[in-house]
Amino acid sequence: TVSALLGVLYALMEHDLKRLLAFHSVENIGIIFIGLGAGLMFQSLALPTLAALGIVAGLYHTINHACFKGLLFLGAGSVLHAIGTRNMEEMGGLIKRMPRTALCFLVGACAISALPPLNGFVSEWLVFQALLGGSAIPQPEVAVIMPIAVAMLALTSGLAAACFVKAFGITFLAIPRSREAEHAHEAPRSMQIGMAVLVLACAGLGLAPSFAVRAFGSALAGLERFASADVTFTLGLPLRVPGAVGEMSSPLLALGLLLLLGLVPLGLRLAGVDRRLRIGDTWGCGRIGQTARMEYTATAFAEPLRRVFAELYRPTRDLSIDFHPASKYFVQSIEYRSEIHPWFERMLYDPLLHALGIGATWTRRLQGGSLHLYLAYMTFALLVLLTVARWWQ
C-alpha cells in the first residue's frame, strides 16, 4: 500500500509524460502486491477462500496492467512521434490534431483510473473485496490492518483519477502551448492499430470479468492449500466470488452508462432546448483574446496537492527577482524554480549508485594493459580454483 500511494503521489508531480506513466507502474505493481500479499496472509491464517480471492485479484490486475499501461505508453509514444517532446507543458490542443490517439489514450486513462466498466475497475474491485473480507481474520492485531489498507487503496485510486485528468487534459485539451503542438499530426495507421487492439482488450476484460476470474480460479485449483475461486454467472450478470462481501456486474454498469448517455439528449429534446451549434469565445474573466499563457499548466494543476503533501515532497524552491535599476519598487522579471527529488532515490538508490561507481573505478584499474599482469591474474585465479576444489572434496 505504501509503494502504491508513493507511486501515484510522485506521478502527480511529473510533467514528463512517460515518467508519469512509469511512476504509475510503481503504483499498479503496489496494487498487484496488495492482492498477492493479502492472499498469502489469508492462506497462512487457514482462510483458503479469501486467499484464492486475493491471488486472483493480483493476477487479474497484472493482466489488466499489461493492457492499459501498454496502451498508455503507445499513446505517449504517438504524441512523442508527433511533436518531438515528452514535456506536457509544451503540449495542449492535440485532441483536434490527433483525435484517434486522444480517444485511445482516454480509454487507457479511464481504465487505469479504475472507472467502470473497464478492466481496471474490476480488478481493483476484487482487491477491495479481498481486503474487506479481512474482517473474518480471528487475530484482532492483524484484522486492524485491513481498514488501513482499504483506506490507502481508496486514496491511491482517487489520486490516480486526478493524475490522469491532468495527463489527458494538459496533453490533449485547450490551446497548443508550442509551435510543435500546433502543427502536430495523427500517428501512422500501424501505430493506431496497436492502440486499438489494446482498447478492445481493456473493454473485453472489463465487460467479461466472470470468464477471466473463472480462468484464474482454475489456475489456482491445482495448487496445494488454495481453493478454486469459482464464479456464479447467472442471467442477472453479476460477478459473485466466494469470500467477497458484495457483487458487481460490469455489463449492467455499461448498459446503465449507455442509457444515461442516451437520456441526456432525449431530456434536452423533451425540454425544448435549442440544440443548434453556437460559437463563442471562452470566458476569460473579462479579458479578450485568449492565449496559451492563460490556460492551466501541469504545474498549476498539481500545485494544490504539492502543498497538501509538502512534508513528503519537500520541494526545493529558488525565487529570483530582478528589480529596475532606478527603483526597487519596479520589478523587471521574476523567475521561480521548484524541483522535487524523491526521498527514496536520495536514501536508497543514490548511495547504491555511488558505491557502484567507486567499485567500477577500482575494477577498471585492474586493466593495466600489461600481458604479464594478465598472466598473473590467471595464475592467481587458477590457484584459487584449485584450492576451492581441494577443499570441496
Side-chain angles (χ1 to χ4, degrees):
T1 57
V2 171
S3 63
L5 186 57
L6 286 178
V8 70
L9 282 173
Y10 281 104
L12 275 162
M13 297 299 112
E14 277 297 331
H15 307 328
D16 183 313
L17 187 56
K18 283 197 170 185
R19 277 180 60 88
L20 181 146
L21 297 177
F23 271 113
H24 271 285
S25 294
V26 177
E27 174 224 346
N28 281 276
I29 293 170
I31 295 174
I32 292 167
F33 271 85
I34 291 173
L36 297 179
L40 294 174
M41 185 178 66
F42 290 139
Q43 186 268 333
S44 67
L45 295 170
L47 297 170
T49 303
L50 283 174
L53 176 59
I55 298 294
V56 165
L59 293 176
Y60 203 161
H61 200 75
T62 303
I63 299 298
N64 290 340
H65 180 246
C67 294
F68 56 64
K69 185 54 65 65
L71 171 59
L72 289 167
F73 267 117
L74 289 179
S78 298
V79 171
L80 177 61
H81 176 268
I83 65 176
T85 181
R86 303 185 308 193
N87 185 6
M88 289 190 292
E89 303 286 23
E90 300 179 16
M91 300 178 186
L94 297 182
I95 192 171
K96 295 181 180 179
R97 294 155 182 82
M98 306 175 68
R100 289 181 289 276
T101 298
L103 177 60
C104 293
F105 194 94
L106 179 61
V107 172
C110 292
I112 198 173
S113 301
L115 296 180
L118 297 172
N119 55 345
F121 169 75
V122 180
S123 53
E124 286 200 28
W125 181 84
L126 288 172
V127 175
F128 273 113
Q129 294 302 307
L131 295 177
L132 292 171
S135 58
I137 297 178
Q139 289 87 344
E141 65 276 8
V142 180
V144 73
I145 300 175
M146 291 302 168
I148 299 175
V150 169
M152 292 182 70
L153 181 57
L155 177 60
T156 300
S157 301
L159 291 173
C163 186
F164 277 95
V165 170
K166 164 190 164 180
F168 182 82
I170 301 298
T171 302
F172 292 99
L173 304 183
I175 306 173
R177 297 181 185 83
S178 65
R179 186 177 184 85
E180 290 78 11
E182 190 174 355
H183 296 89
H185 54 83
E186 183 59 274
R189 182 163 298 180
S190 58
M191 299 173 73
Q192 296 178 38
I193 291 174
M195 290 186 286
V197 170
L198 291 175
V199 165
L200 295 176
C202 291
L205 287 168
L207 293 174
S210 297
F211 301 105
V213 173
R214 183 182 290 115
F216 291 128
S218 300
L220 294 180
L223 299 179
E224 186 180 359
R225 293 180 293 182
F226 277 106
S228 175
D230 196 11
V231 178
T232 303
F233 189 66
T234 64
L235 293 177
L237 301 180
L239 177 65
R240 299 192 186 100
V241 184
V245 297
E247 61 182 46
M248 179 271 299
S249 175
S250 287
L252 290 180
L253 281 172
L255 181 61
L257 290 172
L258 289 175
L259 289 176
L260 181 62
L261 291 175
L263 288 175
V264 171
L266 179 60
L268 293 175
R269 182 180 293 275
L270 294 176
V273 177
D274 185 6
R275 299 178 59 196
R276 289 178 299 176
L277 179 64
R278 289 170 290 176
I279 300 177
D281 291 334
T282 302
W283 171 247
C285 300
R287 187 182 179 95
I288 300 175
Q290 309 305 315
T291 67
R293 294 184 62 188
M294 305 180 66
E295 62 186 281
Y296 261 100
T297 63
T299 304
F301 189 94
E303 181 62 23
L305 288 169
R306 183 198 294 253
R307 293 179 180 271
V308 171
F309 297 98
E311 290 300 320
L312 171 66
Y313 292 130
R314 297 187 178 275
T316 60
R317 295 182 179 90
D318 181 22
L319 180 63
S320 301
I321 303 177
D322 186 16
F323 296 99
H324 194 277
S327 173
K328 66 177 182 179
Y329 297 104
F330 293 94
V331 177
Q332 286 186 321
S333 64
I334 299 177
E335 184 177 355
Y336 174 78
R337 295 177 180 270
S338 180
E339 184 179 359
I340 292 176
H341 188 66
W343 59 266
F344 53 84
E345 286 189 13
R346 187 167 55 249
M347 297 179 64
L348 178 63
Y349 294 112
D350 287 350
L352 289 176
L353 291 174
H354 181 67
L356 182 63
I358 293 176
T361 301
W362 281 95
T363 303
R364 188 164 57 181
R365 294 176 181 176
L366 297 175
Q367 187 178 356
S370 170
L371 181 61
H372 298 86
L373 185 61
Y374 296 154
L375 290 174
Y377 291 159
M378 295 173 62
T379 304
F380 177 74
L382 181 60
L383 290 174
V384 170
L385 290 175
L386 290 174
T387 304
V388 171
R390 178 66 178 174
W391 173 80
W392 189 263
Q393 291 178 353

